[in-house]
Amino acid sequence: GILASENFYKEQHYKRGFQYFGNEDLLAAIEEWELVMALDPDYKRTNELIQKARTILKNIDAIRATENNETAP
């Protein structure tokens, strides 16, 4: 029924988020997990995973900014 379809949808996007995360495509992972959160904000560790991915992205941006400053003339 509808509940089974919703659970399948959530699990598919949850798992796809992990695939993207494993491939270092953090923005795509976040998008997948946000689809899950829209249906069920308490689904597994989705919110925690989104926060973790966002933290990693911020750290990457900070590292890039530092590298750019070091290589500037």
Side-chain angles (χ1 to χ4, degrees):
I2 293 173
L3 184 58
S5 294
E6 184 177 302
N7 286 335
F8 179 78
Y9 175 89
K10 289 187 293 191
E11 188 62 18
Q12 288 298 104
H13 288 286
Y14 185 76
K15 287 180 178 178
R16 196 172 297 148
F18 273 110
Q19 290 172 339
Y20 284 126
F21 189 87
N23 290 328
E24 300 179 6
D25 189 347
L26 300 177
L27 291 175
I30 291 168
E31 287 177 12
E32 291 296 327
W33 291 327
E34 285 179 338
L35 291 172
V36 176
M37 292 278 293
L39 279 179
D40 185 351
D42 298 320
Y43 192 75
K44 297 188 178 181
R45 298 173 38 229
T46 308
N47 189 47
E48 178 186 331
L49 293 167
I50 290 171
Q51 295 310 315
K52 184 176 186 175
R54 286 186 175 148
T55 299
I56 293 168
L57 283 173
K58 285 180 191 173
N59 291 340
I60 290 170
D61 287 343
I63 290 167
R64 286 185 179 144
T66 302
E67 287 175 347
N68 288 341
N69 288 339
E70 290 175 359
T71 58

